[in-house]
Amino acid sequence: MTEHHNTTYGNGKGEGQPVGIALLGLGTVGAEVFRLLNEYNADFTQRVGGPVEVRGVAVSDASKAREGIAPELLTEDAHALIQREDVDVVVEVIGGIDYPRELVLAALRAGKSVVTANKALVAAHADELAKAADEAGVDLYFEAAVAAAIPVVGMLRRSLAGDKIQRISGIVNGTTNFILDAMETTGASYEDALAEATRLGYAEADPTADVEGHDAASKAAILASLGFHTRVTFDDVHCEGISAITAEDIQAANQAGYSIKLLAICERLTGEDGKESVNARVHPTLVPKEHPLASVSKSFNAIFVEAEAAGSLMFYGNGAGGNPTASAVLGDVVGASRNKVHGGRAPEENTYANLPVADFGQTQTRYHIDMQVKDRTGVLAVISSVFAEQGVSLRTVRQEEGKDGARLIVVTHAATESVLDGIVRALEGLDDVHAVNSVIRLS
Ligand code: NDP
Ligand code: HSE
């Protein structure tokens, strides 16, 4: 069989030359990246075409004892490590936005390729980072930034580059899926499930990013940008988390045949004038039990892609944790290192389509509204009229005896978000409605 990997283009170091790695961060992800870089080193040499050598590891506290790592490799000066002449590829697994932005820009401008798992950074500063990588002619890889081990970034960048993506949706945050799954299947409390997800290394350094949906929103921004060839940033994504979801919501959903999942949904929309726009949003969603997303348990992620020619594709796998994330990081390290040895660059992100981001209010959705109402004749007619006035029809209505009056659970047919939101405001103002307990969208 012919081996092609000896080819070296103009800007390659040449077959057999070592590739120097600067590892920034040695936490949940960095420690696994370091361990596997050593364990698979002989294989990586073959795959890359030259030895892959770690030059140093930046941490916040170099005096802390670390198992399996020579103390002389550790440094608190990440900037100096990046600038070393024998460093070719910088791996950023520190987290946060401002400091890693500084480091990644410095690395790219110094001609180093960068691999990062940092979705918050990429979703906030993608244009600036891509420009710096282009100007320096180096690679910027971020496979691990979305859904950890699931190779969805590479799939959108390469495999589906010849298709037209209509929709990308799914579960992209392991921590919140772990929490919702534990609350539903074992009756665990929200607090206990979050503590366990943190202990297992799934949660962000500040888990607010997980539970308030920010982490999933960053991932949605990245997926939408890649899928629609349009820059979508974190600020463009409508974002609601799971911190308001109660055990009662989960029980009610369960009784009605649904699981509650935090979904990221990225859609291409076509207006009445034929003009296209895009939309990206993250919110808790009721998923019918028979839908494949309902059975995605623990910290697993699953992503559906609908493309015009390919049809529907589903990707499933480990969405968080040190080991699965290290797999994605190391795939990128091998790619970036190979390009350093043989020359050439990875496929770039292309935002040529530059579609407008549609207002969230225009999104079509369906609501599941759980409310506490007066237990008197005619209440149902009053409530129904609020929907009818806005031209929204009801799919199901369920009434139960409540502690204080009756509990009414209504599922609507599809309408725009702004109309449905207006209906909820109107319901809250009715004398007959004691409280709107929860409003959850349906998939
Ligand atoms: P951790 O908090 O576990 O680790 C962070 C590491 O960065 C630590 O080693 C820490 O040093 C180091 N660090 C912090 N500040 C500095 C600094 N100023 N200079 C140098 N080093 C510093 O984070 P994770 O490993 O969980 O996450 C890292 C990145 O990977 C984040 O962007 C996260 O979003 C992303 N990611 C995480 C996943 C996961 O499942 N955990 C999955 C996918 C992506 P020290 O050891 O001294 O404290
Ligand atoms: N905190 C993230 C999650 C890590 O729970 O999904 C993986 O990106």
Side-chain angles (χ1 to χ4, degrees):
M1 207 171 78
T2 316
E3 292 280 349
H4 291 290
H5 72 271
N6 287 341
T7 315
T8 300
Y9 300 99
N11 58 343
K13 295 179 81 175
E15 181 77 15
Q17 292 299 309
V19 179
I21 308 288
L23 179 58
L24 314 183
L26 194 67
T28 304
V29 179
E32 284 305 299
V33 169
F34 183 80
R35 185 181 69 77
L36 294 173
L37 263 173
N38 285 325
E39 197 174 315
Y40 300 155
N41 201 265
D43 292 294
F44 287 164
T45 302
Q46 296 300 319
R47 293 175 198 175
V48 164
V52 177
E53 296 168 359
V54 178
R55 306 290 184 219
V57 181
V59 289
S60 68
D61 178 2
S63 67
K64 209 154 83 181
R66 323 252 174 179
E67 216 183 291
I69 180 160
E72 59 273 19
L73 274 182
L74 297 173
T75 175
E76 291 174 12
D77 191 346
H79 274 290
L81 174 60
I82 288 169
Q83 297 299 337
R84 273 174 59 160
E85 279 198 4
D86 59 355
V87 164
D88 302 291
V89 177
V90 171
V91 180
E92 186 276 308
V93 281
I94 290 178
I97 297 187
D98 294 341
Y99 185 54
R101 171 177 166 265
E102 239 179 62
L103 296 173
V104 168
L105 285 174
L108 295 170
R109 286 170 185 156
K112 324 287 177 170
S113 287
V114 169
V115 173
T116 179
N118 191 334
K119 49 274 167 145
L121 171 65
V122 176
H125 295 293
D127 274 336
E128 186 184 26
L129 302 181
K131 186 164 173 273
D134 284 347
E135 283 171 1
V138 294
D139 286 329
L140 171 64
Y141 278 96
F142 46 87
E143 180 61 68
V146 184
I150 307 175
V152 65
V153 169
M155 177 272 296
L156 289 170
R157 263 186 169 182
R158 284 187 296 272
S159 319
L160 288 171
D163 212 325
K164 182 172 184 181
I165 311 287
Q166 295 294 357
R167 194 171 200 265
I168 306 170
S169 59
I171 296 166
V172 295
N173 182 270
T175 302
T176 46
N177 201 58
F178 184 92
I179 295 170
L180 293 171
D181 181 50
M183 288 172 76
E184 181 180 331
T185 57
T186 69
S189 72
Y190 173 92
E191 290 76 19
D192 286 352
L194 173 57
E196 182 64 359
T198 304
R199 191 188 67 76
L200 292 167
Y202 304 148
E204 295 301 300
D206 176 359
T208 312
D210 295 291
V211 297
E212 295 306 341
H214 306 158
D215 178 81
S218 292
K219 290 164 177 167
I222 295 171
L223 291 173
S225 297
L226 290 167
F228 305 135
H229 302 283
T230 289
R231 177 61 63 217
V232 178
T233 66
F234 173 81
D235 291 334
D236 294 323
V237 183
H238 175 87
C239 175
E240 291 170 36
I242 65 157
S243 58
I245 300 290
T246 62
E248 289 73 32
D249 293 331
I250 288 181
Q251 203 187 7
N254 219 3
Q255 278 167 2
Y258 297 101
S259 288
I260 302 181
K261 296 290 186 188
L262 184 71
L263 295 195
I265 301 167
C266 312
E267 284 178 318
R268 184 191 292 275
L269 309 172
T270 307
E272 282 168 10
D273 55 2
K275 290 200 175 128
E276 289 190 336
S277 59
V278 298
N279 175 265
R281 56 193 196 270
V282 167
H283 50 68
T285 309
L286 289 167
V287 178
K289 293 262 188 211
E290 59 277 10
H291 191 282
L293 284 177
S295 53
V296 175
S297 63
K298 304 195 172 155
S299 62
F300 284 91
N301 284 187
I303 299 163
F304 283 94
V305 178
E306 288 162 37
E308 234 164 65
S312 293
L313 306 163
M314 181 178 174
F315 301 83
Y316 170 82
N318 278 308
N323 231 349
T325 310
S327 163
V329 170
L330 289 168
D332 285 352
V333 168
V334 168
S337 302
R338 206 191 287 136
N339 289 344
K340 283 291 179 187
V341 169
H342 301 294
R345 288 181 70 200
E348 294 159 42
E349 220 180 325
N350 191 329
T351 55
Y352 74 93
N354 200 19
L355 295 170
V357 177
D359 180 51
F360 178 60
Q362 297 314 307
T363 313
Q364 287 276 329
T365 187
R366 292 184 295 146
Y367 271 20
H368 175 283
I369 307 168
D370 180 343
M371 55 198 136
Q372 211 62 41
V373 299
K374 276 189 189 156
D375 194 5
R376 69 159 186 89
T377 317
V379 166
L380 201 52
V382 172
I383 288 172
S384 301
S385 70
V386 174
F387 288 88
E389 275 163 25
Q390 297 300 323
V392 175
S393 54
L394 300 181
R395 190 162 167 234
T396 59
V397 177
R398 205 172 84 232
Q399 189 167 348
E400 289 170 10
E401 215 174 291
K403 281 178 242 149
D404 172 23
R407 184 178 180 193
L408 199 64
I409 298 169
V410 166
V411 174
T412 73
H413 278 291
T416 63
E417 178 65 34
S418 56
V419 165
L420 289 171
D421 187 56
I423 288 174
V424 172
R425 305 285 146 251
L427 292 172
E428 282 169 340
L430 291 179
D431 281 349
D432 283 324
V433 175
H434 294 313
V436 174
N437 300 327
S438 75
V439 176
I440 305 179
R441 296 174 188 87
L442 276 93
S443 61

